[in-house]
Amino acid sequence: MQPSEMAMTFRRVLVLEDNFIIAMEAEDILRSIGVADVTIATNVEQAETLLLEESFDFVLLDVNLGAQTSFLFAEKLLDRRIPFGFVSGYGEDSVFPLAFRAVPRITKPFNEDSIGSLLSIAS
């Protein structure tokens, strides 16, 4: 699937990333492959509020959010049937709860190809 085709599948993407510079990099990459609307949340509380106020086609989750992880938020996404993928510095499955080991993920640092692949797998 080409990046423009992925963008047609995922028009609105939420990025949950505690490092704002990395979040902006993800936003730039998502826009470069044709995602029309990218929203950034820097913590779980912001992401939960956004999820109540808006609809998203896909959520890009950083695993390590400082004092917490995104796993509890990912459970809410599963309940709502919103596709998501993880971005992580962790390469080993042992860090991931069993329920999330099959969820698509990429490692940092990411680039257009890796984010494009993540979206392609998730679509």
Side-chain angles (χ1 to χ4, degrees):
M1 184 178 288
Q2 296 297 315
S4 60
E5 293 172 300
M6 286 178 274
M8 294 304 285
T9 302
F10 301 120
R11 304 281 304 149
R12 298 194 57 166
V13 174
L14 173 62
V15 175
L16 175 54
E17 167 62 64
D18 63 328
N19 182 311
F20 197 68
I21 293 173
I22 294 173
M24 289 174 37
E25 182 181 354
E27 177 182 19
D28 288 345
I29 290 171
L30 288 162
R31 289 188 187 280
S32 76
I33 62 173
V35 174
D37 185 14
V38 179
T39 303
I40 295 172
T42 58
N43 59 56
V44 171
E45 292 76 23
Q46 283 179 339
E48 287 174 342
T49 299
L50 288 164
L51 198 59
L52 292 173
E53 297 172 350
E54 302 179 41
S55 63
F56 297 96
D57 303 315
F58 186 81
V59 181
L60 186 63
L61 299 171
D62 180 21
V63 171
N64 185 347
L65 300 169
Q68 63 188 149
T69 68
S70 61
F71 294 134
L72 290 176
F73 185 70
E75 289 177 12
K76 293 178 183 188
L77 298 174
L78 281 175
D79 291 342
R80 292 176 149 213
R81 295 187 173 149
I82 299 172
F84 64 94
F86 291 109
V87 176
S88 174
Y90 305 119
E92 297 184 24
D93 278 344
S94 61
V95 174
F96 286 79
L98 193 55
F100 298 125
R101 290 187 185 171
V103 172
R105 69 177 177 250
I106 56 175
T107 58
K108 292 180 183 176
F110 51 77
N111 58 33
E112 189 173 300
D113 289 339
S114 60
I115 287 182
S117 292
L118 180 69
L119 292 178
S120 178
I121 292 168
S123 62

